[in-house]
Amino acid sequence: MIVITLSKTPASLRGDLTKWCQEIQTGIYVGNVNAKVRDLLWKRVQKNIGQGEATLVYNTNNELGYTFRTTRLDRKIVDCDGIPLLKHVNVTPNLKLGFSNAAKYHKAKVNSRAVLHNSTLLKFAVIDIETTGLAPNKSEILSIGAVKYLKNGKVDIFYKLIRDVNCIPAGVSELTGLNMKILKSKGSNLIEVLKMLKDFLGDRIILGYNLTFDMSFLDIAYKRNKISGLINTSKDLLPIIKKNNKFLDNYKLSTVLSEYKIENQSPHHADFDAKSTYQLALKLINEGKLKL
């Protein structure tokens, strides 16, 4: 028999466990499997636990008749004359690397990655837009944000509000913090913004999260205003995330950023969403999941 307890884990992992175990209470799973299946299940839990915690208890041949495993960083399992006990551990965050050979190797590896990616960083730009609705043929673009890496090591930000918008729904205004008064006073003409965006992007690969949505609006905007559209190669990060993170609760940008420990100070603002998506792209490149 095995018992697995979960806390703060993705719903998809909890649902996955019900294939082999019965959830007798929220987050508590009981099953009767052999040792091989048990070990495979534990590997599955460790791989897909996200930011949550898990503990596994199972039968074994010791004085207690059982032992356990845990993913908790503040607990360590120690053996006391054949009896497993949990030891409290003080977790010290942000440990600095010392001067050991392992530390030097790690630092050199990180530096080599940075050098390797400098040329890659110049290949792409990230975009994000905010709109009055979800239908490209009926809704309007409120703002456009874009980010790109420069040769001097700095990041260039493009952010424009669109003043020639007819109406902003109350829900959208509350979500984005934008209203007609702000757009009229701080916004620019859509045709001018579209031309500036083309100049900003140049021939770089366009990246974005759920990029199909953004590109559909931009394509229609260029056509309606009789401007030659974007012919850049584009790559959507959403399918990459779905392929590599199968056990997220959902695939909203906020959920994905939390999973990758990326802070977005102002969600649903095109400039901040573009900057956080740029950070996501960097992490995917470093992990080898995104190749340009």
Side-chain angles (χ1 to χ4, degrees), residues 132-184:
T132 59
L134 301 177
N137 288 311
K138 298 179 181 179
S139 306
E140 300 175 280
I141 298 175
L142 291 173
S143 61
I144 301 176
V147 180
K148 67 180 180 181
Y149 180 85
L150 300 177
K151 288 183 179 180
N152 59 11
K154 295 182 180 180
V155 173
D156 194 9
I157 309 294
F158 177 95
Y159 180 58
K160 297 293 180 181
L161 301 176
I162 311 302
R163 70 164 174 253
D164 40 351
V165 171
N166 293 312
C167 178
I168 305 177
V172 174
S173 182
E174 182 178 354
L175 192 66
T176 63
L178 298 175
N179 54 49
M180 296 301 294
K181 183 178 180 180
I182 293 175
L183 296 186
K184 296 300 180 184

Side-chain angles (χ1 to χ4, degrees), residues 203-220:
D203 61 355
R204 297 194 180 207
I205 300 169
I206 299 175
L207 303 181
Y209 192 80
N210 193 17
L211 185 60
T212 304
F213 175 85
D214 303 81
M215 294 303 292
S216 62
F217 272 87
L218 290 172
D219 288 343
I220 289 176

Side-chain angles (χ1 to χ4, degrees), residues 260-291:
Y260 281 84
K261 297 179 173 57
I262 298 171
E263 182 181 3
N264 186 355
Q265 296 177 345
S266 297
H268 302 293
H269 289 68
D271 53 343
F272 282 92
D273 284 352
K275 286 188 282 188
S276 59
T277 303
Y278 175 82
Q279 294 297 323
L280 176 62
L282 294 185
K283 292 208 172 189
L284 292 176
I285 291 171
N286 279 326
E287 292 176 359
K289 297 174 182 176
L290 172 61
K291 295 181 181 180

